[in-house]
Amino acid sequence: MDFQQTLDDLLRYADIVKPMVADVTELLRLHLKRGDNVLFEGAQGALLDVDHGTYPFVTSSNTTAGGASTGSGVGPRELDYILGIVKAYATRVGSGPFPTELDNDLGQHIRDKGAEYGTVTKRPRRCGWFDAVAARRSIFNNSVTGLCVTKLDVLDELDTIRICIGYQMNGMPVEVPPIGAEGFVGIEPIFEDLPAGSATPSASSATPICRSLHVAISSAWKK
């Protein structure tokens, strides 16, 4: 590779990139001053956060809501509503702790019906039951204001839906989620079983399912 040729090629992009360079923090401040709505969107799951995730199976940045402030320069007091988005079941890409994983035909059913494959790589995502313990930790980490539960329809052909409402190790309850991947060794999920019938949002059976998810998520940790 010729250094000078590579440098010259890259420098030609300067005229294209230069008009896009701006003080983004100041632009956002002006929008907020005018009363405009500003939306920040997270790209990955909360438990992939480099500081608060299941290290070392994490990404290289902060995926929790605080990352919106550090990345944009907009102070945290300007974030007046934080919407948490979860699936009605759990997924994970690649290695790492997954107490509720379904490494069986049921997991494959959820994967296929929920189209749980990488958009570009087509890499299959690991699938499992909803984990309310992980959800509670993520809600706290992100100061979540409201919650959006998606993909209820993926479960509508199942006879029973399971929700992980707690963890145990050696028969003893684990009251808070472990810190780091090593802490999950030996962790077993505690499930609540719900009759599914049809979990689609338009079906009457969706109401008890959503209510159970809400109760499981919002129940306080013991101190």
Side-chain angles (χ1 to χ4, degrees), residues 15-105:
D15 291 336
I16 300 174
V17 174
K18 189 175 180 180
M20 305 178 195
V21 177
D23 184 344
V24 175
T25 299
E26 177 62 10
L27 291 176
L28 291 170
R29 186 189 71 81
L30 292 173
H31 277 293
L32 291 169
K33 184 179 179 181
R34 288 198 299 264
D36 296 339
N37 290 322
V38 177
L39 175 67
F40 299 99
E41 181 182 4
Q44 293 174 301
L47 292 182
L48 293 179
D49 187 278
V50 67
D51 293 316
H52 305 290
T54 50
Y55 188 88
F57 302 101
V58 294
T59 190
S60 59
S61 59
N62 292 111
T63 62
T64 44
S69 289
T70 55
S72 68
V74 174
R77 286 192 299 177
E78 303 296 337
L79 306 179
D80 55 8
Y81 191 93
I82 299 174
L83 178 65
I85 301 176
V86 297
K87 299 172 186 175
Y89 52 91
T91 60
R92 181 160 198 152
V93 176
S95 301
F98 196 166
T100 66
E101 183 172 14
L102 292 166
D103 189 14
N104 52 26
D105 291 343

